[in-house]
């Protein structure tokens, strides 16, 4: 990333922290941690340290940390694996889940006859009705914070309501880990998914926190690693790198969150002052770096192209999955009209964001939206 780029897509991924790069390099030649010889034991000890560090930071026991290859894998193991061990065929989810959860739940409905109930959300994508949790289910799943709007969900209330029915709860905390304090035991979740690249760790590494019981059954079979829940040789370097990144993220969290939220609020105020007719889709409680906006009359893809040409990297707030700019299921669930939602942008600020990034974008946004609102680009 050069100095002239203004990277505002930290929810997609955030640059690797130097401590994570160093930890990864240091352990990049680690052998199989299952080896019963000196170098194997040394690799195992690095892995054990990473597991202990992560457990400590997340309020979990080391045995509850299951290393995975991604947040997507952690979500899939939890959802498919908790469904598998239950006699019940109900699944409670929400209308705003990331595809890693949404598609896993839909797969259970299609292939396993799961009966799915979805918790609705309000205009700012906060879960608004917990009634579907009042009947027992194989599992309930809810994201900690939404990846598009940043909305933080009422997880303690959801877990309490589910617990009253004996329903295990999976929390997709991929956007939240490293950005808000999380205490796994205090929360009472059954499983919780995290992904290293969201807080400055390596891509392709994550973990699932899984209580001893009920524990999800494995969706892969193999060598029995990670309590058999995620068999396969663990990448020691990535685990050490992830633990280093999480340690730094948690240590800096309070100070960084205040700094980032300040920049985000400034950006919001400047955009609202510069552009007419803007709908703000992010509302408290929300992650500090998220700012999701709709610009009725503009088109998200056009704005992204114009911003990209100016060196501003952001995401369309209307995730187009098949190359067609359609409104995302999240905006739809929030009740946003198609004509508004299609012109959405998601700016996500993070640890490399500066006041200069904010000022640069604020100076150009009116021109970008104005051009995109012109008939030719709509
Ligand atoms: N869940 C949420 C809420 C996410 O934001 C993401 C990534 O964008 C994922 C799951 C998937 O994580 P990964 O990229 O590690 O597969």
């Amino acid at each position: 990333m050069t100095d002239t780029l203004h990277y505002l897509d930290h929810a997609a991924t955030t640059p690797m922290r130097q401590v994570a790069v160093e930890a990864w390099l240091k352990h990049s030649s680690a052998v199989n941690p299952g080896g019963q010889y000196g170098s194997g034991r040394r690799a195992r000890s690095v892995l054990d340290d990473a597991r202990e560090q992560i457990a400590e930071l997340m309020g979990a026991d080391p045995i509850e940390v299951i290393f995975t290859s991604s947040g997507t894998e952690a979500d899939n193991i939890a959802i498919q694996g908790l469904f598998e061990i239950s006699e019940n065929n109900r699944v409670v989810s929400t209308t705003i889940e990331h595809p890693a959860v949404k598609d896993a739940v839909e797969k259970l409905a299609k292939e396993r006859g799961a009966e799915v109930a979805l918790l609705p959300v309000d205009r700012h994508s906060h879960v608004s009705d917990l009634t579907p949790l009042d009947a027992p289910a194989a599992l309930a799943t809810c994201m900690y914070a939404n990846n598009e709007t940043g909305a933080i969900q009422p997880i303690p209330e959801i877990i309490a309501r589910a617990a009253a029915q004996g329903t295990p709860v999976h929390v997709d905390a991929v956007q939240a880990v490293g950005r808000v304090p999380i205490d796994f035991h205090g929360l009472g979740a059954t499983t919780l998914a995290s992904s290293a690249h969201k807080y400055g760790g390596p891509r392709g590494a994550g973990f699932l926190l899984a209580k001893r019981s009920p524990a999800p059954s494995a969706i892969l079979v193999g060598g029995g690693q990670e309590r058999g829940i995620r068999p396969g040789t663990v990448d020691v370097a990535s685990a050490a790198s992830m633990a280093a990144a999480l340690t730094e993220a948690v240590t800096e969290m309070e100070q960084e969150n205040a700094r980032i939220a300040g920049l985000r609020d400034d950006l919001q105020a400047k955009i609202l002052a510069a552009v007419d007719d803007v709908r703000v889709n992010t509302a408290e409680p929300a992650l500090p770096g998220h700012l999701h906006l709709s610009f009725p009359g503009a088109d998200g893809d056009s704005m992204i192209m114009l911003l990209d040409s100016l060196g501003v990297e952001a995401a369309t707030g209307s995730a187009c999955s098949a190359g067609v700019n359609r409104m995302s299921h999240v905006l739809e669930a929030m009740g946003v009209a198609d004509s508004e939602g299609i012109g959405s942008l998601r700016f996500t600020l993070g640890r490399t964001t500066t006041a200069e990034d904010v000022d640069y974008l604020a100076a150009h946004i009116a021109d970008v939206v104005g051009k995109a609102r012109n008939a030719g680009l709509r």
Side-chain angles (χ1 to χ4, degrees):
M1 200 173 305
T2 72
D3 287 349
T4 52
L5 280 186
H6 301 278
Y7 181 75
L8 294 169
D9 201 14
H10 287 264
T13 197
T14 200
M16 246 174 111
R17 292 170 187 271
Q18 193 54 32
V19 287
V21 172
E22 280 161 20
W24 194 91
L25 285 173
K26 184 171 171 196
H27 301 294
S28 58
S29 303
V31 301
N32 191 324
Q36 292 171 312
Y37 32 78
S39 57
R41 284 195 299 277
R42 283 193 290 281
R44 176 62 189 234
S45 146
V46 173
L47 189 61
D48 286 347
D49 285 350
R51 195 186 302 283
E52 276 165 30
Q53 256 175 292
I54 290 170
E56 165 98 31
L57 294 164
M58 299 296 299
D61 293 336
I63 198 167
E64 294 172 322
V65 178
I66 308 294
F67 289 111
T68 66
S69 68
S70 60
T72 299
E73 188 185 23
D75 280 328
N76 271 271
I77 292 172
I79 289 162
Q80 298 188 48
L82 287 173
F83 185 79
E84 194 61 40
I85 59 164
S86 178
E87 307 266 281
N88 197 314
N89 84 332
R90 270 189 92 232
V91 175
V92 181
S93 183
T94 82
T95 49
I96 54 160
E97 296 302 309
H98 184 276
V101 167
K102 182 175 178 279
D103 292 359
V105 170
E106 280 170 13
K107 181 177 155 79
L108 292 178
K110 214 177 346 168
E111 296 175 10
R112 308 292 304 279
E115 188 196 312
V116 178
L118 299 179
L119 306 177
V121 296
D122 63 17
R123 144 91 180 69
H124 291 107
S125 74
H126 294 109
V127 166
S128 55
D129 178 12
L130 305 187
T131 314
L133 293 165
D134 293 339
L139 72 137
T141 181
C142 181
M143 63 202 331
Y144 200 109
N146 183 261
N147 46 299
E148 294 190 25
T149 63
I152 293 177
Q153 304 303 329
I155 298 296
E157 289 84 346
I158 287 172
I159 291 175
R161 268 303 255 273
Q165 303 296 323
T167 303
V169 177
H170 171 63
V171 179
D172 173 0
V174 168
Q175 287 292 331
V177 171
R179 295 195 176 117
V180 295
I182 292 181
D183 174 10
F184 183 60
H185 289 165
L187 210 52
T190 306
T191 50
L192 183 145
S194 167
S195 175
H197 72 104
K198 304 292 185 184
Y199 50 82
R203 313 344 162 189
F207 60 81
L208 179 71
L209 300 181
K211 266 168 73 165
R212 289 173 180 79
S213 172
S217 68
I219 55 178
L220 296 176
V221 289
Q225 293 90 341
E226 302 301 287
R227 289 164 57 198
I229 292 174
R230 198 281 190 178
T233 303
V234 178
D235 176 357
V236 172
S238 289
S241 174
M242 174 160 63
L246 187 58
T247 302
E248 189 173 88
V250 170
T251 308
E252 296 180 350
M253 190 183 286
E254 208 178 319
Q255 212 179 341
E256 267 297 272
N257 281 1
R259 188 187 73 84
I260 290 167
L263 290 173
R264 189 267 318 267
D265 293 347
D266 191 33
L267 179 62
Q268 176 175 329
K270 285 179 168 149
I271 291 178
L272 294 184
V275 185
D276 287 338
D277 194 14
V278 184
R279 180 190 161 120
V280 183
N281 297 311
T282 298
E284 294 301 330
L287 294 173
H290 270 68
L291 182 58
H292 191 291
L293 305 168
S294 295
F295 301 90
D299 166 272
D301 282 350
S302 307
M303 290 189 285
I304 287 297
M305 275 158 47
L306 290 162
L307 287 169
D308 191 28
S309 71
L310 293 166
V312 176
E313 300 186 324
T316 54
S318 51
C320 71
S321 33
V324 186
N325 189 15
R326 285 194 307 110
M327 198 170 73
S328 77
H329 67 285
V330 176
L331 291 178
E332 211 171 286
M334 290 159 64
V336 176
D338 229 67
S339 54
E340 284 189 16
I342 209 84
S344 297
L345 293 176
R346 178 188 73 175
F347 298 112
T348 48
L349 289 62
R351 59 188 200 82
T352 58
T353 308
T354 62
E356 201 214 323
D357 295 321
V358 168
D359 290 342
Y360 182 85
L361 173 56
H364 290 90
I365 190 73
D367 191 40
V368 166
V369 176
K371 282 187 178 142
R373 278 177 172 163
N374 281 346
L377 288 169
R378 176 102 175 100

